[in-house]
């Protein structure tokens, strides 16, 4: 249990957004994807997920780890099948954003969701590093109440709003980890993750990659940071994390690129260079391959994502 306490203590949690949404028409998104982690609480209606169409019952929650493409259906019958790109472009056709506090939990065909980051030492996406699929959370009224509290705070301009949202989101992440431990889910992956806290060289690598995301992050450079041989550093990193270092670096670069697209007016070319891609065309190809949408289109449609 001590290792898991270290896991929780090391997590840097950041609230991204929260919404209470009312379904406009049934649909299925075959590759729902987001950089942030998403916790969806179904109030009324029907949600199903995965290739086997596992059903989320009213009052239950669907957790979708960041960086994990998942099939999700809303409403009876599944409706029209769309891509994640279609959802981003036409979200107001499928959902209405409810801002009436009195209707949260009462509106037909409605759900609440919270999007957030949870990173080990602010460097590696914890839930993505577990490499687990979307999963169902049942019988957890405390977690459900936290989702509602975060949504309610996000809809009100009250003193202390940001502080409470931060506290509630951190609490929410702890409750998700506790749920995983209590139900003995993903035991092997969690055991692997606990190794992050047994070898300071790995933490040095995480921090170096974060601080030098646009620079030279070849295995030769990483080997000098971790003080292991260049031939061994890739094997060492994968042994402890389950992913090879260059794949991890590309994910971190793309995640940083998404952040810059959403928060700055920098050109695609400048963003590509800032995150380590000298060739803009190659950066754009890799970005679309990872997210299924061109970088420029993601920027133009960011306002649509927030309805």
């Amino acid at each position: 249990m001590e290792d898991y306490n270290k896991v929780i203590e090391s997590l840097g949690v950041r609230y991204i957004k929260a919404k209470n949404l009312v379904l406009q028409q049934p649909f299925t998104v075959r590759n729902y994807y987001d950089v942030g982690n998403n916790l969806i609480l179904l109030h009324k209606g029907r949600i199903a997920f995965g290739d086997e169409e596992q059903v989320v019952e009213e009052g239950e929650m669907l957790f979708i780890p960041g960086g994990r493409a998942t099939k999700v259906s809303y409403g009876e019958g599944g409706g029209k099948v769309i891509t994640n790109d279609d959802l981003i472009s036409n979200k107001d056709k499928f959902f209405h954003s409810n801002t009436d506090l009195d209707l949260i939990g009462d509106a037909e065909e409605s759900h609440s969701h919270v999007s957030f980051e949870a990173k080990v030492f602010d460097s590696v996406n914890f839930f993505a590093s577990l490499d687990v699929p979307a999963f169902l959370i049942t019988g957890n009224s405390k977690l459900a109440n936290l989702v509602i509290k975060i949504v309610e705070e996000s809809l009100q301009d009250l003193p202390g709003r940001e502080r409470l949202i931060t506290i509630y989101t951190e609490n929410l992440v702890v409750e998700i980890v506790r749920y995983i431990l209590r139900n003995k889910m993903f035991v092997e992956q969690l055991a692997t993750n606990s190794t992050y806290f047994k070898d300071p060289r790995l933490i040095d690598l995480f921090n170096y990659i974060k601080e030098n995301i646009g620079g030279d992050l070849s295995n030769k450079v990483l080997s000098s940071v971790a003080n292991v041989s260049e031939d061994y550093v890739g094997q060492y990193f994968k042994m402890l994390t389950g992913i090879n270092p260059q794949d991890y670096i590309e994910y971190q670069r793309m995640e940083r690129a998404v952040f810059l697209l959403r928060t700055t007016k920098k050109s695609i070319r400048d963003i590509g260079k800032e995150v380590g891609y000298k060739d803009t065309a190659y950066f754009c190809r890799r970005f679309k391959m990872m997210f299924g949408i061109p970088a420029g289109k993601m920027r133009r449609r960011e306002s649509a994502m927030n309805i």
Side-chain angles (χ1 to χ4, degrees):
M1 192 57 66
E2 180 183 352
D3 284 344
Y4 298 133
N5 281 329
K6 289 181 180 179
V7 170
I8 293 171
E9 288 300 316
S10 73
L11 291 179
V13 177
R14 184 177 73 87
Y15 164 83
I16 299 176
K17 61 184 176 182
K19 297 283 183 182
N20 180 245
L21 299 176
V22 180
L23 186 67
Q24 300 291 85
Q25 60 174 301
F27 74 98
T28 296
V29 56
R30 65 170 181 259
N31 60 334
Y32 176 88
Y33 184 98
D34 196 359
V35 172
N37 305 288
N38 282 273
L39 183 61
I40 301 169
L41 167 63
L42 179 61
H43 298 300
K44 293 185 177 181
R46 181 184 185 275
I47 295 177
F49 68 99
D51 293 335
E52 297 181 358
E53 295 282 333
Q54 185 174 355
V55 174
V56 182
E57 302 290 347
E58 294 178 358
E60 295 181 341
M61 287 159 283
L62 169 61
F63 180 69
I64 305 177
R68 185 85 184 211
T70 307
K71 180 181 177 183
V72 184
S73 298
Y74 298 89
E76 292 293 337
K80 180 180 180 182
V81 179
I82 65 172
T83 66
N84 196 59
D85 191 4
D86 296 329
L87 177 60
I88 293 172
S89 303
N90 304 289
K91 202 162 187 178
D92 57 345
K93 294 182 180 179
F94 299 103
F95 291 120
H96 165 68
S97 184
N98 170 51
T99 58
D100 187 340
L101 294 175
D102 293 332
L103 290 180
I104 294 176
D106 290 330
E108 296 297 323
E109 297 290 345
S110 68
H111 69 269
S112 294
H113 85 262
V114 177
S115 179
F116 61 92
E117 285 183 352
K119 292 187 174 182
V120 179
F121 293 111
D122 291 322
S123 299
V124 62
N125 186 322
F126 173 69
F127 292 106
S129 73
L130 293 178
D131 192 29
V132 297
F135 61 89
L136 192 63
I137 296 178
T138 64
N140 197 314
S141 59
K142 184 175 182 179
L143 194 50
N145 288 334
L146 283 169
V147 172
I148 294 173
K149 285 182 178 180
I150 293 169
V151 171
E152 289 177 340
E153 284 296 328
S154 73
L155 293 174
Q156 302 178 84
D157 187 18
L158 297 174
R161 170 180 177 270
E162 288 77 13
R163 181 70 180 272
L164 280 179
I165 286 176
T166 297
I167 292 170
Y168 291 151
T169 305
E170 289 179 345
N171 196 347
L172 179 140
V173 171
V174 171
E175 287 301 322
I176 293 173
V177 175
R178 285 180 174 178
Y179 183 87
I180 290 172
L181 293 173
R182 187 163 55 246
N183 290 277
K184 297 180 172 58
M185 302 169 71
F186 321 125
V187 174
E188 184 177 341
Q189 293 94 323
L190 281 167
T192 299
N193 269 262
S194 70
T195 60
Y196 291 154
F197 315 98
K198 297 176 182 176
D199 193 334
R201 293 174 299 176
L202 187 61
I203 305 305
D204 288 342
L205 283 174
F206 286 153
N207 289 332
Y208 186 85
I209 290 168
K210 179 183 178 182
E211 293 168 6
N212 298 274
I213 199 67
D216 181 2
L217 294 174
S218 63
N219 280 4
K220 181 177 181 180
V221 171
L222 299 182
S223 67
S224 65
V225 174
N227 196 28
V228 297
S229 72
E230 183 178 350
D231 292 336
Y232 177 65
V233 69
Q235 179 183 344
Y236 162 78
F237 191 94
K238 186 170 185 178
M239 177 178 67
L240 295 182
T241 67
I243 185 173
N244 77 62
Q246 295 309 316
D247 286 345
Y248 170 75
I249 289 166
E250 180 168 52
Y251 181 83
Q252 294 300 310
R253 283 175 164 160
M254 290 301 178
E255 193 175 60
R256 177 64 181 171
V258 169
F259 174 79
L260 293 172
L261 284 166
R262 290 175 169 175
T263 60
T264 75
K265 295 183 179 180
K266 293 179 179 180
S267 68
I268 303 298
R269 182 178 182 178
D270 287 344
I271 288 174
K273 286 183 177 180
E274 187 169 330
V275 299
Y277 293 87
K278 296 178 181 178
D279 185 333
T280 304
Y282 179 70
F283 164 68
C284 290
R285 287 197 302 272
R286 296 301 299 172
F287 189 97
K288 185 174 182 181
M289 184 177 295
M290 181 169 288
F291 298 115
I293 180 174
K297 187 177 287 187
M298 177 175 281
R299 163 172 279 167
R300 291 194 299 272
R301 295 174 180 175
E302 176 60 18
S303 59
M305 289 180 69
N306 293 320
I307 310 185

